[in-house]
Amino acid sequence: MTPNVTLPLTGLRVLDFSQFLAGPVAALRLSDLGAEVIKIERPDGGDLCRSMVVNDQRLEGDSLVFHTFNRGKKSVAADLKNVEDLEAVVALVKSADVLIHNFRPGVMERIGLGYEAMTEINPRLVYGAVSGYGTTGPWAGKPGQDLLVQSLSGIAWLNGDAANGPTPTGFAMLDVATAGNLVQGILACLLRRGTTGEGGLVEVNLLSAAIDMTFEQFTCFLNDDLRQPKRHTIGNANPYQPAPYGVYQTSDGYLAFAMTPLTKVAELLGEDKIATYTQDQAFTHLDEIKQIVAQVIATQTTQHWIDILEAAGVWCAPVLDWPTFVQSDGFKALDQMQNIASASGETAITTKCPIRIDGHLPTSSKGAPLLGADTADYLTKAC
């Protein structure tokens, strides 16, 4: 754990009923910040993410990604359909500050662990609920999975060049964003509780996170007669940004080019044709301009252009792959990697919490718990 730092959530107890990614990542962040997080899992198999093996990587028999989402937590195995187990879990709720779940709408209520029932026994409880599409409407019962929500929300049609089909991101962007929204709501309710003594209900969903994450582009769409944005023919990075904004192939790699006036682009690239376009035409003739930029950029190395553009104050960057990125001084300076160990001592490398507290990054060397490893400590004591 982080040395000589009292983490801000030390002393808080979080019950994590969630599975897979969004809910567990929110609980992970609370754990990183000092909270005691107790996973409530099915005795038969536990969190389904334990068996969701990605890239054929495991730790202590469980999926490695399960450890990345659940490091440092405790595990209580309880059959919520069993009366005795359910009663023991309800008793544990009485001692909790936060409860998180990501069951489909109505499931926790049917079990007897819904918000109304739990706040009756613990009025100070902050109750966090994650869903795919909210609790009402025709999509409420759909599976809330990241790729599916990227597809439904239009995000997949923002990425890639004009000639490409829909292009989702290569990571679970919406799960992580939803987790962040949940943490913000929980912390806000905890702050309010410090004044009023009452907890609260925090509800987040992946679809709202998708809308919120794209609010810049979505606002443009809403105020453009609801016309689908046109992705750029070359180097699309944001369909509403003017030329030369985007990614271009150099003679030995790729270069990201941010917002820059066309007159400056023409000067630095040594291409007079670009200067014949007005700044307004950076929007209306963007594909033509980007085609010219692409032809010039392709003639030299990435570093050649970085040296010229950065010296002139232009926002640009090489496009790095991960092997190159982790060797960069910028990555090393952030100190974002840590080792975690399983119960038997197997180790893996993962990331740290990205939030510095009093100048320190919170760290924890513990991997995810074995299924039910802490059941006796929490349910028999019902503390």
Side-chain angles (χ1 to χ4, degrees):
M1 189 60 69
T2 308
N4 305 318
V5 174
T6 300
L7 293 171
L9 300 186
T10 299
L12 293 181
R13 172 172 287 181
V14 178
L15 302 186
D16 179 12
F17 289 81
S18 59
Q19 301 188 89
F20 293 118
L21 211 162
V25 168
L28 171 65
R29 187 61 68 239
L30 298 177
S31 174
D32 285 339
L33 296 174
E36 173 193 42
V37 177
I38 306 165
K39 284 186 70 67
I40 309 297
E41 303 186 73
R42 299 175 301 121
D44 181 17
D47 181 342
L48 292 174
C49 191
R50 287 183 180 272
S51 58
M52 190 183 75
V53 177
V54 176
N55 200 34
D56 199 26
Q57 292 175 304
R58 296 172 176 81
L59 188 68
E60 196 75 44
D62 291 318
S63 167
L64 177 59
V65 296
F66 172 78
H67 282 266
T68 66
F69 306 154
N70 295 283
R71 54 181 167 78
K73 299 179 185 179
K74 308 291 179 63
S75 174
V76 164
D79 180 357
L80 299 180
K81 297 179 181 179
N82 177 282
V83 174
E84 291 185 359
D85 280 8
L86 182 59
E87 289 178 350
V89 168
V90 169
L92 190 59
V93 172
K94 294 178 181 178
S95 70
D97 298 284
V98 177
L99 182 155
I100 293 172
H101 82 83
N102 62 352
F103 291 112
R104 291 190 190 184
V107 171
M108 287 290 271
E109 285 74 15
R110 289 195 293 273
I111 295 171
L113 296 172
Y115 170 67
E116 298 294 341
M118 294 301 94
T119 54
E120 281 188 16
I121 65 171
N122 183 356
R124 291 175 55 82
L125 183 69
V126 175
Y127 191 104
V130 183
S131 65
Y133 311 91
T135 59
T136 61
W139 293 357
K142 283 180 175 289
Q145 193 274 339
D146 195 282
L147 174 61
L148 306 185
V149 181
Q150 285 195 47
S151 301
L152 285 167
S153 66
I155 285 179
W157 280 113
L158 287 177
N159 301 320
D161 292 342
N164 301 143
T167 307
T169 61
F171 64 100
M173 171 182 71
L174 299 180
D175 277 315
V176 176
T178 302
N181 292 343
L182 182 58
V183 170
Q184 291 175 48
I186 287 171
L187 295 180
C189 281
L190 287 171
L191 185 63
R192 185 182 67 184
R193 190 183 74 171
T195 302
T196 67
E198 295 184 2
L201 173 63
V202 181
E203 297 175 288
V204 297
N205 65 80
L206 272 67
L207 188 59
S208 291
I211 296 168
D212 183 62
M213 286 201 76
T214 57
F215 75 95
E216 176 190 353
Q217 294 76 23
F218 201 63
T219 299
C220 292
F221 161 73
L222 293 174
N223 291 276
D224 193 28
D225 296 324
L226 303 185
R227 290 184 294 186
Q228 171 67 14
K230 294 178 62 177
R231 295 178 295 174
H232 302 184
T233 301
I234 296 174
N236 179 68
N238 180 333
Y240 291 111
Q241 283 286 359
Y245 193 95
V247 173
Y248 299 88
Q249 188 167 5
T250 66
S251 64
D252 66 347
Y254 291 87
L255 170 74
F257 212 137
M259 300 80 67
T260 311
L262 290 184
T263 52
K264 195 167 191 177
V265 175
E267 174 190 348
L268 296 173
L269 269 56
E271 180 50 73
D272 293 337
K273 282 191 288 186
I274 299 174
T276 65
Y277 293 92
T278 68
Q279 192 58 44
D280 286 342
Q281 288 176 318
F283 291 96
T284 59
H285 292 66
L286 66 88
D287 281 332
E288 297 171 21
I289 298 168
K290 292 185 76 172
Q291 182 67 52
I292 299 169
V293 173
Q295 291 170 352
V296 177
I297 292 291
T299 63
Q300 299 289 344
T301 66
T302 302
Q303 192 59 52
H304 170 87
W305 294 119
I306 292 290
D307 290 342
I308 291 173
L309 297 172
E310 284 191 339
V314 173
W315 292 359
C316 61
V319 180
L320 305 181
D321 58 20
W322 273 346
T324 308
F325 175 53
V326 297
Q327 294 302 318
S328 68
D329 291 338
F331 174 80
K332 293 174 183 177
L334 289 177
D335 189 26
Q336 279 293 146
M337 294 190 296
Q338 65 179 346
N339 291 315
I340 56 172
S342 69
S344 67
E346 293 182 53
T347 62
I349 305 171
T350 189
T351 59
K352 296 178 182 177
C353 173
I355 305 168
R356 290 185 181 271
I357 302 295
D358 299 329
H360 298 276
L361 284 172
T363 60
S364 174
S365 61
K366 292 183 178 180
L370 293 173
L371 175 59
D374 306 286
T375 303
D377 290 335
Y378 291 95
L379 289 199
T380 55
K381 295 177 182 178
C383 57

